Amino acid sequence: MELYFSPGQSYPLGATVQPDGVNFSLFSKSARSVELLLFDHANDPQPAHIICLDPQHNRTFFYWHIFVANIGAGQIYAYRVHGPFEPQRGLRFDGRKVLLDPYALALVGEERYNRSAAIGPGDNCAHALKGVVADLTTYDWENDVHPCTPYSATVIYELHVGGFTRNPNSGVAPEKRGTYAGLMEKIPYLKSLGITAVELLPIHYFDAEDAKPGLTNYWGYSTLGFFAPHRSYSSRRDPLGPLDEFRDMVKALHREGIEVILDVVFNHTAEGNHTGPTLSFRGLENSVYYMLEESPEYYRNYSGCGNTFKGNHPISGRLILDCLRYWVAKMHVDGFRFDLASILTRDHIGQPPAGDISSTNILWVIESDPALAGTKLIAEAWDAAGLYHVGEFVGLADWFAEWNGPFRDDIRRFVKSDNATVKLLADRILASPDIYSRQGIDINRSVNFVTCHDGFTLNDLVSYNHKHNEANGENNQDGANDNHSWNCGEEGPTQNPHIEALRIRQIKNLFTLLLLSQGTPMVLMGDEVRRSQLGNNNAYCQDNGLSWFDWDAVEKEAALLRFVTGLIDFIQTTEIFKQEQLLEVTYGSQSPHIVWHGVRLGQPDWDDNSHSLAFTLRHPQHDEHLYVAFNAYWQPLSFELPPLDNNDYWHRIIDTALPSPEDFCPLDAAPMVKDKTYRVEARSTIVLRVKNNVAM
């Protein structure tokens, strides 16, 4: 095939299919020359064509560009960029290294990829990843629409695409295990569970080799291609297969009313510190994409992963915005969870904002962008270097939500019977008004969670006092030490039926608190069936049964699954759990409200030594009246029940101390409570609801 060239255009960045060829555009301010490499096949060790870009004709400002006729979608390409290697000036050009286009929409070459080859001296072409030209106009979305579920009706399920179906017991065909297609086969399970959104751990193409020898970067927080879906999560082997399979998955989830939220990592990349590989950004314009130390040969490390992406630089900031727009407009995703989002508040040299974080440019740009209006934007409002902005992202420009870290910690501490937790519990139940104090903001922007990928699973939270991360190869030094966990009497798996019963009860207590609290609940994959990592609280490198969903547990833990499914359905069909405003704390209000109690009505015990709290919830407009009591004390407590009108009676929806199926009863089958008090067993929770029995 004979190729024809013309100067091309600087916009858009990346590789853009046109009627008679492809336009390529790349940013590099300090490069002296650029070579476009074209490959015939994904694993070719050398390019079929090397096209040298002329600085006079193929460069506009700091953009290198060329139009190549007679090629199109499916063309495999990469770059070599030549310039000074002067680390003391922050310049790390290496013309021997094959570089990825930051805007590549698909990547290939993983079969021969070798991270070490991009670190050592010499040509790494035979072991480099390459981009693939994609035409986004041919896919049939079949009138797909975003579900646009409000936060008030959202239940998020944090899910790892690979780990969800990679287990041989998943029932998924071997070629589809651990893929987007495999996840599609499990949509009926997600639908039956009642979740409304999946929050996918990183699916941007990441470097699985960014881990200790013999281990794999399983979680995916090591991004190489921000625009490309991770190829190993696709069952298709053709160069553009992952794009179609990902879109098929999104379309299938949307058909069932389930939103897709991506966990995005704009705080660092896979290139690591000064000893890391040259894969893309480092060899294109190192000082533009990364925050450098005062000695520019070293990287500022606010991410804990070796480098820090310079999100508030115009070039890298534009990449972030272009990336978010792309995944919404072209891939139809519904939102993003920003990993270590506080890094995006740092300026171009890493300094935190002098005052309010609302002055941070990239955050305002993201929030105000019309292409992103209506998407869910969720911040992990801290970083690895001490910034902590929980309570400051919510209401920043009226759209960001936050992972509520204090909710996780305070709920754990209350359930394990720590002192001085009852007042904190009350705030967490009310969507943390002590943290989120701005008026007029949807209280469901507090994303509540007890567990997430980073830390213990829910089962391990009640089964281990200490982390057990020996398999990670870091002498158990990695992972958090302060987990607010309690093993209920014995470390790890046990045959003791009393300990097992207590653990089940504690899991149900934690689920009940999570789902009954105001805010948007997030459930960790597998917690509903007691998924265990055997005490590993940092399983980022464990791509094996330790991290995978165990589908045998769906039957084995059917009783717990029934409880969780019933509880999710209960909150989704009860209007008082869908409020967008803070509940009033009062008696007799005609608006939705809450009244606090202790073991005696109207007398909550806020003492530091207290371990119990009760409350009534009322929504007069919908005739909803509930009573909830939490007893984290190690002895039973008798709680006074509010008196009712003649034909109204309390009915037991939940009692976590009871075995299945009595632990959860739908209202139409809920037994009547005739006494004026209710004995709440040690370390247990009850939920009662008023039902009119006049027809009985």
Side-chain angles (χ1 to χ4, degrees):
M1 177 181 66
E2 190 171 359
L3 302 180
Y4 298 94
F5 317 115
S6 60
Q9 299 175 327
S10 60
Y11 182 83
L13 284 162
T16 306
V17 176
Q18 297 180 356
D20 52 351
V22 176
N23 187 81
F24 296 89
S25 179
L26 180 78
F27 171 84
S28 183
K29 176 181 179 181
S30 306
R32 294 171 180 163
S33 64
V34 172
E35 296 172 332
L36 172 64
L37 315 178
L38 300 181
F39 299 82
D40 289 340
H41 304 99
N43 293 312
D44 286 353
Q46 295 297 326
H49 303 276
I50 300 176
I51 305 169
C52 297
L53 277 61
D54 185 332
Q56 297 300 316
H57 299 95
N58 299 109
R59 181 178 179 180
T60 302
F61 193 47
F62 301 134
Y63 297 94
W64 299 76
H65 46 81
I66 190 169
F67 178 82
V68 182
N70 293 337
I71 64 171
Q75 176 63 57
I76 298 165
Y77 73 105
Y79 291 96
R80 285 195 179 102
V81 178
H82 302 267
F85 181 78
E86 299 177 9
Q88 69 277 10
R89 294 177 53 212
L91 301 173
R92 289 184 173 271
F93 291 98
D94 186 347
R96 301 166 298 177
K97 296 294 184 284
V98 172
L99 304 179
L100 290 169
D101 175 4
Y103 280 74
L105 303 183
L107 303 185
V108 293
E110 69 277 5
E111 295 89 351
R112 293 177 60 90
Y113 172 69
N114 186 297
R115 181 178 174 87
S116 297
I119 297 175
D123 186 346
N124 73 322
C125 190
H127 302 286
L129 296 169
K130 301 106 176 174
V132 186
V133 177
D135 183 356
L136 299 172
T137 64
T138 59
Y139 183 80
D140 184 4
W141 277 105
E142 301 179 277
N143 299 315
D144 175 70
V145 294
H146 296 281
C148 295
T149 308
Y151 279 103
S152 59
T154 295
V155 178
I156 299 171
Y157 191 76
E158 192 195 34
L159 182 155
H160 187 286
V161 171
F164 194 47
T165 62
R166 195 162 287 167
N167 201 312
N169 65 15
S170 66
V172 172
E175 67 274 12
K176 292 185 178 181
R177 291 174 190 160
T179 67
Y180 309 117
L183 190 154
M184 288 171 62
E185 293 191 17
K186 295 298 184 180
I187 291 176
Y189 174 81
L190 297 172
K191 185 71 173 178
S192 68
L193 184 59
I195 62 96
T196 68
V198 289
E199 184 174 300
L200 305 180
L201 266 68
I203 58 85
H204 290 169
Y205 199 108
F206 61 87
D207 189 353
E209 293 187 11
D210 187 12
K212 288 185 174 296
L215 298 172
T216 299
N217 192 307
Y218 168 70
W219 283 350
Y221 293 91
S222 184
T223 307
L224 277 174
F226 287 104
F227 292 79
H230 194 60
R231 177 166 291 275
S232 72
Y233 292 162
S234 175
S235 64
R236 294 178 53 171
R237 296 296 91 197
D238 52 306
L240 294 175
L243 275 76
D244 284 343
E245 190 169 322
F246 179 87
R247 290 182 286 193
D248 289 346
M249 178 196 70
V250 172
K251 192 163 56 177
L253 285 162
H254 283 179
R255 279 196 293 265
E256 296 300 326
I258 298 174
E259 293 183 308
V260 179
I261 300 170
L262 301 186
D263 195 334
V264 290
V265 190
F266 295 121
N267 57 75
H268 73 282
T269 78
E271 292 185 304
N273 63 18
H274 62 285
T275 66
T278 299
L279 301 167
S280 182
F281 305 100
R282 188 196 304 272
L284 293 173
E285 198 63 56
N286 185 54
S287 63
V288 163
Y289 288 110
Y290 296 118
M291 298 182 191
L292 305 179
E293 294 280 10
E294 292 184 9
S295 299
E297 64 266 38
Y298 302 112
Y299 295 83
R300 297 182 186 269
N301 183 16
Y302 304 116
S303 66
C305 298
N307 64 49
T308 306
F309 202 65
K310 193 183 288 186
N312 276 299
H313 187 282
I315 297 299
S316 46
R318 180 181 295 117
L319 181 145
I320 291 173
L321 187 62
D322 288 346
C323 178
L324 297 173
R325 287 172 170 172
Y326 168 76
W327 286 99
V328 171
K330 302 300 184 181
M331 306 299 271
H332 286 209
V333 305
D334 304 284
F336 306 93
R337 177 263 186 189
F338 293 78
D339 181 63
L340 298 181
S342 286
I343 283 179
L344 295 178
T345 71
R346 295 181 181 271
D347 66 18
H348 65 287
I349 61 171
Q351 292 301 305
D356 195 311
I357 67 170
S358 64
S359 62
T360 306
N361 180 59
I362 187 60
L363 297 176
W364 273 104
V365 168
I366 291 170
E367 283 218 337
S368 63
D369 188 80
L372 303 179
T375 60
K376 288 183 168 66
L377 305 176
I378 303 171
E380 183 184 37
W382 52 84
D383 69 13
L387 287 188
Y388 192 77
H389 291 128
V390 173
E392 296 183 50
F393 274 83
V394 170
L396 175 63
D398 301 328
W399 199 248
F400 265 103
E402 289 181 6
W403 270 20
N404 188 339
F407 182 96
R408 170 199 59 205
D409 298 338
D410 295 337
I411 296 301
R412 289 182 177 193
R413 292 180 58 228
F414 172 80
V415 170
K416 70 187 278 283
S417 304
D418 283 359
N419 285 338
T421 56
V422 173
K423 287 182 179 179
L424 294 171
L425 173 67
D427 278 330
R428 303 302 158 251
I429 290 170
L430 285 180
S432 302
D434 58 327
I435 298 172
Y436 306 113
S437 57
R438 183 170 173 178
Q439 298 297 313
I441 298 299
D442 180 0
I443 50 91
N444 298 292
R445 300 294 171 84
S446 167
V447 176
N448 300 333
F449 65 105
V450 177
T451 56
C452 64
H453 68 278
D454 189 2
F456 281 142
T457 67
L458 198 58
N459 179 79
D460 291 358
L461 186 69
V462 300
S463 303
Y464 294 89
N465 284 349
H466 311 287
K467 65 183 182 183
H468 296 270
N469 298 356
E470 292 79 7
N472 295 355
E474 300 182 36
N475 297 315
N476 207 33
Q477 297 301 305
D478 61 308
N481 293 314
D482 190 8
N483 299 283
H484 305 300
S485 63
W486 177 48
N487 65 19
C488 296
E490 186 174 330
E491 191 77 352
T494 181
Q495 299 300 315
N496 187 316
H498 300 292
I499 293 177
E500 268 292 280
L502 178 55
R503 287 176 178 176
I504 288 286
R505 187 184 306 180
Q506 291 288 72
I507 289 172
K508 291 189 290 187
N509 290 335
L510 290 161
F511 264 119
T512 304
L513 275 166
L514 170 65
L515 289 162
L516 264 59
S517 296
Q518 284 195 283
T520 298
M522 184 183 78
V523 175
L524 174 63
M525 177 186 88
D527 274 354
E528 72 279 9
V529 291
R530 297 188 69 184
R531 185 176 71 86
S532 174
Q533 295 174 174
L534 300 180
N536 191 317
N537 75 348
N538 189 34
Y540 77 99
C541 56
Q542 299 296 328
D543 188 6
N544 50 53
L546 192 72
S547 298
W548 299 342
F549 192 106
D550 179 7
W551 287 94
D552 288 343
V554 173
E555 181 176 349
K556 180 183 177 183
E557 301 295 340
L560 177 61
L561 180 59
R562 175 191 176 275
F563 178 88
V564 176
T565 301
L567 183 54
I568 291 175
D569 180 71
F570 176 62
I571 68 162
Q572 290 179 328
T573 55
T574 306
E575 288 299 318
I576 200 163
F577 296 118
K578 300 178 184 179
Q579 300 306 299
E580 295 184 351
Q581 299 297 321
L582 195 66
L583 288 171
E584 295 183 22
V585 183
T586 183
Y587 286 90
S589 172
Q590 292 306 302
S591 301
H593 63 273
I594 188 171
V595 178
W596 299 114
H597 308 289
V599 292
R600 294 186 178 277
L601 290 175
Q603 299 181 36
D605 185 355
W606 305 117
D607 188 81
D608 284 353
N609 294 318
S610 173
H611 299 285
S612 63
L613 182 65
F615 57 87
T616 47
L617 290 171
R618 296 203 71 172
H619 196 317
Q621 289 83 5
H622 290 274
D623 196 26
E624 294 173 352
H625 190 182
L626 291 87
Y627 175 83
V628 182
F630 303 105
N631 179 18
Y633 193 52
W634 41 91
Q635 296 291 332
L637 295 174
S638 182
F639 286 77
E640 291 181 351
L641 300 182
L644 300 173
D645 295 336
N646 289 337
N647 293 321
D648 290 340
Y649 296 89
W650 291 112
H651 288 70
R652 189 190 74 233
I653 305 294
I654 290 173
D655 187 335
T656 62
L658 296 175
S660 183
E662 286 80 15
D663 54 353
F664 178 86
C665 300
L667 182 59
D668 58 0
M672 184 190 304
V673 177
K674 297 181 179 180
D675 295 335
K676 296 181 179 180
T677 62
Y678 194 106
R679 176 185 164 98
V680 181
E681 297 298 329
R683 304 185 190 278
S684 64
T685 305
I686 65 160
V687 178
L688 311 180
R689 183 169 176 176
V690 171
K691 180 178 178 182
N692 187 291
N693 287 9
V694 67
M696 294 181 61

